[in-house]
Amino acid sequence: MISFLTKLWTFVKRGFAINFSYKVYAVLGILGMLIGVLRFGFMAQFLQMGNSFPALSLYGGNLMAYFITGGAYMSYVSVAMNSFHSAIRSEQSMGTLEYLLMSDTPLWQILTFSGITSFLWTTLNVGMIFIFLVAVFNVQMKINIWLSLFILVLSVICIGGIGLTSAGIIMVTKKGDPVSWTFTTLSGLVSGVFFPISILPIWIRWTSYMMPTTYAIRALRKALLVNATFSSVKESVLILVLMSFITVPAGLLTFRWGFNKAREKGSLVEY
Amino acid sequence: MNEIIKVSSLTKTYKLGKREIKAVRNVSFVVKEGEIFAILGPNGAGKTTLIKMLSTLVLPTSGKAFVCGYDIVKDEAKVRKCIGLSTGFERSFYYRLTGFQNLKFFGTLYGMRGRSLNDKIKELSDFFNLNDAKEMLYMKYSTGMKKKLSLARALIHNPKILMLDEPTSSIDPKSAMEIRQRIKEIKKDKAVILATHDLHEAETIADRIAILKDGRLLTVDSPTNLKRYLKHEIIKIKTDGSVSMDKDFFLENGMREKIKRVDVKDETVFIHVENTEEVMDYVVDKMKSMKVKLLKINVEEPSLEEVFLNFMGEKDDKLSD
Ligand SMILES: Nc1ncnc2c1ncn2[C@@H]1O[C@H](COP(=O)(O)OP(=O)(O)OP(=O)(O)O)[C@@H](O)[C@H]1O
Ligand SMILES: [Mg+2]
C-alpha cells in the first residue's frame, strides 16, 4: 500500500512537472478552462431570461435552431482556423511535405486543396448532424441556400486568412501559437454563437465587433432560419469582405515569412 | 558537355540560439550533363544541407548556385521542376496508400494524367522491379523497396537532374548493388548528384567525387585521379617467417627518399613507396641477401579509403593493413 502511494505520488509529481514545463501551454490551458466556464455562465444567464427570447426574434425565435446553427458554424470556424496548419503538420509528420513542395505545385495550392478537403469533409459531417437534429427536434427552418453558402464560404475565407497567419507562425515556432488559440477561444465567447452579444458586459462587447465571426453568424442565421434576402444582410457581408481584405493578404504574407524562415533554419520537416 | 549545375561560394550557417553552425562553407563546383557526381563525406560534413540548398528546401546564407541555369533562390519554382529528389528518409510516402497510389498521387501533382501517367508508372516499376509490390500498402514495404519507390518518384516527371541523399543507406549489399546499377543506367541522359559516406559506392558509380569535410570542399576529381593524387603504392611481400625482419632494414643507402615507410606485420612486410619500379630491384636483392624466403609479392594501389582518410587528416595511423 505504501509503495502504491509512493508510486502514485511520483506519477502525479512527474505529470505536474511536465505540464508546468510547457509554460505557455499551462497558462493557456487554465485560461481556456476559465473561458469555457464563463461561456456556460453567459449561456445560463441568457436562458434564465425566460421562455420568450426577444433577442432571438430576428432569427425566428426558436432556441433549438439558434443552438444548432451556432454549433454547426463553430465547426467551420475550426476548419478555417486549423486546416492549414494541421495539413502542414500532418505532411511533416508523414515526411511528405518536402516532396509535395518539390512537385510542380505551388504551396498555396497545396494548402487550398487541403483546406477545401476539410471544408467538404466538415460539410458532410455537419450536414448529416444538421439533418438529424432538425428532424428529431422538428426545427422549422426557412433556408436561403445560396445566400447561406455564400456567407459560409465568405466567412471561411476571411477566417482562413487568420488560419494562414497561424500556420505561418507554427512553421517557425513548431508549437501551438497564440493567434489560433486567442481567436478560437474568443470567437466562441464573444461573437454571439451560443448567446446574443447583448448578454456580455459592455466593457468586453467591443471585442465582439472586432470578430468576423460575429457578422458571419448573424448573417448566416438569417439566411438559414428566416430565408433572408441579400439586401437584409448586406451590411454584415460588406464588413466580412472588408475584413477579408485585411486577413487574407496578412495571412499570405505571414505564411510566406514563416516558410522562408523555416527554409533558413532548415526546419521545414521538423514538427 | 554542358554545365547543368554551377555552384559558387555557397555557404550555409545555421543559427541555434547564440551558436553558429557552419554546415557548408564557401563551396564551389560544377556538374555536367550525363555525369554522376558524388558528394562524399563523413557524418555531419554538410552533404544533406548542400543537397537541400540545391533543391530549394533550405535557403543559403550566401553564395550562388544555378541549377539547369536557374538561380536556386530567385527561380525556385523552375529549379524544382528540373530536379527529382530522393532523400534517405524512409517516412516520405503515405503509409496507408499502396506504392502505386503513392506514385499516382505525386505524378498528378507534377501535372501528369491518365494514360501517360500510368505508362510512366509501369515503366518505372518495371525498371525498379517493383511490379509485385505495386498493390501493396507502403507500410508493408521493405527498406529496399522503399528506397526504390523513392527513386521511382524522383524520376516520375523525367527531370534532368536526380538528387540522391544516401540512396543505399541501411540496405543489404545485394539490393545496394541493384540500386547502384539502376542509377548508372539512369545517368545516360541525366546528371546525378549523390551524397554518400560510402566510399565504395562513390568509387563504383561516380564519375567525379567531391570530398566534403566540416562543410569545406577539399577536392573534386575522378576516382582514378584521386588515387593517383596520393602518389602512393604499397608493396606487400609475404615471407615464410623464418627470418625476422626489422623496419629500418630497408631504409639505408639513400633509400629513405624513395621508401616512405615500412611496416612489418607477422610474416608480411608492407613497403610504402611513391613508385614501385624505382625500388623493386633493391627490395628483392636486399631480401635475397638476407636469405629470406619470398612467398608472394603484391603491389597495391591506394584504395579510395586511404585517399579519403588522407584528406581527413588521419592518414598516418591508418594506412597500413
Ligand atoms: N536544421 C539545422 N539546424 C541546425 N544545424 C543543423 C541543421 N541541419 C544540419 N545541421 C548541422 O549542420 C551540420 C551538417 O549537417 P548535414 O546534415 O548537412 O550533414 P551530412 O553530411 O548530411 O551528415 P550525415 O552523413 O550524418 O547525414 C551538422 O553539424 C548538423 O548538426
Ligand atoms: Mg545527411
Side-chain angles (χ1 to χ4, degrees), chain A residues 265-266 270, chain B residues 14 16 21 23 42-49 166 197:
Chain A
K265 290 168 74 167
E270 290 166 17
Chain B
Y14 290 114
L16 281 182
I21 298 173
N43 291 141
K47 306 180 291 292
T48 300
T49 304
E166 316 260 7
H197 57 253

Side-chain angles (χ1 to χ4, degrees), chain B residues 205-248:
Chain B
I205 66 172
D207 296 296
R208 285 191 305 143
I209 297 175
I211 296 184
L212 198 65
K213 189 202 178 192
D214 294 337
R216 287 200 186 82
L217 195 61
L218 301 180
T219 184
V220 182
D221 218 327
S222 67
T224 328
N225 281 344
L226 279 178
K227 288 193 230 167
R228 203 172 289 152
Y229 168 92
L230 267 190
K231 285 209 202 110
H232 185 128
E233 288 167 323
I234 306 165
I235 308 172
K236 215 166 154 181
I237 305 172
K238 191 161 192 246
T239 72
D240 69 348
S242 53
V243 180
S244 71
M245 263 169 303
D246 184 31
K247 292 210 248 202
D248 296 333

Side-chain angles (χ1 to χ4, degrees), chain B residues 271-314:
Chain B
I271 303 168
H272 298 247
V273 298
E274 244 179 49
N275 186 346
T276 308
E277 287 162 25
E278 285 179 2
V279 295
M280 202 55 164
D281 269 347
Y282 165 78
V283 168
V284 173
D285 286 350
K286 193 84 189 168
M287 304 265 275
K288 281 288 156 206
S289 75
M290 290 275 297
K291 304 229 165 10
V292 176
K293 181 149 176 59
L294 306 181
L295 296 182
K296 198 173 169 190
I297 299 183
N298 286 341
V299 179
E300 287 182 355
E301 285 199 330
S303 68
L304 196 62
E305 186 167 3
E306 290 166 55
V307 179
F308 187 68
L309 291 177
N310 181 284
F311 272 108
M312 297 298 126
E314 298 174 19

Side-chain angles (χ1 to χ4, degrees), chain B residues 7-55:
Chain B
V7 177
S8 49
S9 307
L10 205 59
T11 298
K12 178 70 201 179
T13 309
Y14 290 114
K15 288 198 186 70
L16 281 182
K18 276 183 189 153
R19 234 175 97 219
E20 288 199 337
I21 298 173
K22 294 188 166 136
V24 171
R25 312 180 195 212
N26 212 15
V27 163
S28 307
F29 61 86
V30 166
V31 180
K32 297 178 198 128
E33 255 170 34
E35 85 174 334
I36 298 183
F37 187 88
I39 300 167
L40 178 65
N43 291 141
K47 306 180 291 292
T48 300
T49 304
L50 185 51
I51 291 237
K52 289 209 170 162
M53 280 196 282
L54 296 179
S55 314

